[in-house]
């Protein structure tokens, strides 16, 4: 359908809630880290920091911070990645704009695309408690937890996924038409 390798990768990205608990090979984890490291940023400030949670103790703490439906499915992910940043590490162009959220978002997308290239699920979540993460992982007061991503291999068995999410992964992915989101001048 697409000639571009990037568009093929984006089209193939899939964020199921059924994730196998199998640990990821270290070379795969290293590739995920490299994808973050290579992300461009405003004034090359690279304001993001990431916590790769893989140990049983760390996973237990991170899972405690999950809220809502995420508690029912993300508990099997063998890797939870928490992205955070400090506002003072922003490039601060002087007109009030803040870029550190945008930059962290770009690095998170690179993480997700690299995970997709390794045929992994990489599902970002909004349902978690930033203050618990800050406290339980010893982040500094000015560290702002921004995103948590569950990463692992797709599990064909979704029997443990909460009923409210069952079948959602089988629905076709929809996107708005280009003319709904793009303007030309």
């Amino acid at each position: 359908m697409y000639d571009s390798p990037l568009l093929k990768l984006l089209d193939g990205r899939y964020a199921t809630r059924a994730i196998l608990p199998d640990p990821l090979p270290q070379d795969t984890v290293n590739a995920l880290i490299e994808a973050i490291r290579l992300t461009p940023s405003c004034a090359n400030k690279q304001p993001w920091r990431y916590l790769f949670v893989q140990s049983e103790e760390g996973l237990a703490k991170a899972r405690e911070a999950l809220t809502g439906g995420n508690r029912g499915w993300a508990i099997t992910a063998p890797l939870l990645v928490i992205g955070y940043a400090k506002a003072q590490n922003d490039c601060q162009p002087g007109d009030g704009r803040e870029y550190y959220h945008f930059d962290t978002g770009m690095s998170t997308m690179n993480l997700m695309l690299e995970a997709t290239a390794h045929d992994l699920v990489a599902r970002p979540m909004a349902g978690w408690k930033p203050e618990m993460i800050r406290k339980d992982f010893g982040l500094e007061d000015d560290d702002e937890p921004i995103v948590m991503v569950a990463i692992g291999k797709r599990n064909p068995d979704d029997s443990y996924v909460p009923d409210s999410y069952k079948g959602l992964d089988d629905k076709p992915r929809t996107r708005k038409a280009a003319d709904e989101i793009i303007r030309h001048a």
Side-chain angles (χ1 to χ4, degrees), residues 29-40 48 106-115:
V29 174
N30 291 344
L32 298 174
I33 291 168
E34 191 67 2
I36 291 169
R37 195 184 73 76
L38 293 174
T39 303
W48 57 77
M106 285 199 306
S107 61
T108 300
M109 189 67 205
N110 276 4
L111 166 74
M112 292 170 59
L113 288 174
E114 186 63 24

Side-chain angles (χ1 to χ4, degrees), residues 13 15 19 29 40 42 53 57-58 63 70 83 86 96 101 136 147 150 185:
R13 188 191 67 76
I19 299 174
V29 174
C42 181
V53 183
E57 179 185 343
R63 290 168 180 156
N70 293 341
K86 292 180 192 290
H101 286 123
D136 291 346
V147 64

Side-chain angles (χ1 to χ4, degrees), residues 2-33:
Y2 301 111
D3 288 333
S4 161
L6 179 58
L7 290 178
K8 287 178 186 176
L9 191 62
L10 287 166
D11 190 53
R13 188 191 67 76
Y14 190 77
T16 183
R17 289 175 180 86
I19 299 174
L20 288 169
D22 304 348
L24 302 178
Q26 190 58 48
D27 63 330
T28 300
V29 174
N30 291 344
L32 298 174
I33 291 168

Side-chain angles (χ1 to χ4, degrees), residues 67-131:
T67 62
N70 293 341
R71 289 194 77 124
W73 66 266
I75 57 168
T76 61
L79 174 60
L80 294 173
V81 178
I82 300 158
Y84 61 100
K86 292 180 192 290
Q88 66 264 31
N89 290 343
D90 201 353
C91 69
Q92 302 173 349
D95 58 6
R97 289 178 292 158
E98 295 180 337
Y99 274 85
Y100 69 104
H101 286 123
F102 175 74
D103 288 343
T104 303
M106 285 199 306
S107 61
T108 300
M109 189 67 205
N110 276 4
L111 166 74
M112 292 170 59
L113 288 174
E114 186 63 24
T116 300
H118 288 269
D119 201 28
L120 298 173
V121 172
R123 185 172 191 95
M125 301 174 281
W128 52 282
K129 299 174 186 170
E131 287 305 317

